[in-house]
Amino acid sequence: MTARAFKPLVVGAPRSGFALLASVLIHFVPLAPGKLELRQRILNALLRHLGDHVSAAVVKAFAAHGITGDLLYNANFRYIVGGPKWLKEGDPDTACFRKYLGVRGLGDFTLVTSHPRELLDMDEVVHSHSDPGLWLSHPGYRDYAKYASVRHPIGILNSAVFSLNALASEYIQKFVPPERDNHALREQLALYKFTDLDFYEGLVRFLAPYLREFLRHRHGYTVMRWEDLITDPVPTIRQLARAAGIEVSESRARGIWAQLDHVNLTQAHKHNYRPGAGIVGDWKRWVVNEHLEIARRHGLEDIGLELGYEKFGRLEESRYTPFQQQVAGFIRRGEIHREFFDSDLFTFAFNKSNLVSDKFPFRRPGWRSHTQIERSIFKDEAVERAVWDAAENATGEINAFLRDFLDGACGTRAEALLHLGQLRQRHQTGLGARDPVRFAEAFREAERQARGGAPLPARIVSYARRALGRLRAMALPAAGVPEAPRLIESLKGYDIVFYKGVYYGLPQSLGPVRLDTHEARRQPGVIDGTTAESVRDAIIETQ
């Protein structure tokens, strides 16, 4: 075991084994000293409660236009650091986070929020698909253990064609009959992506420049080949650990792989992993020679050779699978397969990132002070603008709070407690007024950390993030015998009631309130929180 703090950072192209690599490294965290200093622990505590400030404003803006049940906003992206992330061009002390938003019948758009880069360390593993050179040169990451994932370039492209993004995943979970959620659905969507050669070339044009940049900087990284992890996981995992000065036994490595072997690793995005996939060389059953030629034209074969892979070769067309024969037939006739049983799902499944999209009709409004609509095919521009306004204002508000926190002294416990008291007072009537209970809980947890409370383990933090989304919604009745609300106490005209893991402050003037409906929290004056103490504090503050 090493005495040095383990600060892992992962860079890799999407579909290159990136999530697998990060998931392996997470298992090394308990084996080395933690990376979190006092300031970061306090920041994490604050954002465990305030980290859905922007997403709450976005949801509220949609709801103001009557859009609730048809909204697609995956839980993975509602948390402040959720979504793909990178350091902002020209401002590397600012981090960007991409969110994917869609509405059934109206299309979708990508929203990028920007925040202080310190938020990246809320994840145990700092990770990004972008700028391998920048992470090496940035002074803030000089002492991080840097890793990178690589994979056969055609394997990356093949996986990108078959992948379902979070928008499509949520749409399937909400609106597609379970019997249609199968590989045939993926194949039908992939037929479009394989037969529209402009689309396939867009994927190639995105991947090739990234890999060229990576090759210039690869010696600054411990490189994991996806194929090595799949075919020889135990020694690969042990080698990754040794690169950080951590010793992992063979049995522990086997245990790590048992938890990661061909499973979904992206929580609410339930379709990131394709069952039956994850086979080395599987791309030879799906792509056709025209795809290999496009990749060669953009230099991917030479890039692959530099990464240690063999030449693409030429596929024997007489041995094409039925799927390849179908793709080849469309290409030979100059046709694109666009038929699909659900036009909304077809729209949402179209790649919104990791694609050079200049041949497709996206609107690209650009940056405001804190946010950007990156690409949009949303049909109602008035609704889009209202949501963007809400996101811009909320992001600006949380950023003002974060900058104020980061500018203050937190070198000692006494300094941190003094700073938190002043910070709370300055933002009580602004950010604090938006959700007094969450604000109070955030500072209670932050002060606990400042007094020397033990940092929460990574897995508990991950659970807390998922629970945050659930607690913000009203609990619906479970199957079987319904749970009855339980009165805790009455205080200053409120009843404090516990129901399904949530404490509610219910104004007695409302009379009976049904807590098994989503409308309950919208009643005037209703307060909710994760502890009875936080609800009591909020009731007192309303007097």
Side-chain angles (χ1 to χ4, degrees), residues 86-97 114-120 134-135 137-141 399 402-403 406:
W86 61 93
L87 296 175
K88 190 175 184 181
E89 184 177 1
D91 184 9
D93 281 331
T94 296
C96 298
F97 304 83
S114 62
H115 303 284
R117 70 168 180 85
E118 286 82 356
L119 270 65
L120 294 171
L134 178 57
W135 295 101
S137 63
H138 195 298
Y141 302 98
N399 280 351
L402 293 170
R403 296 289 183 196
L406 291 168

Side-chain angles (χ1 to χ4, degrees), residues 162 182-192 286 323 326:
F162 277 101
N182 52 37
H183 189 72
L185 181 150
R186 288 182 185 262
E187 285 195 16
Q188 288 297 305
L189 290 169
L191 271 175
Y192 162 72
W286 305 102
F323 182 87
Q326 193 175 8

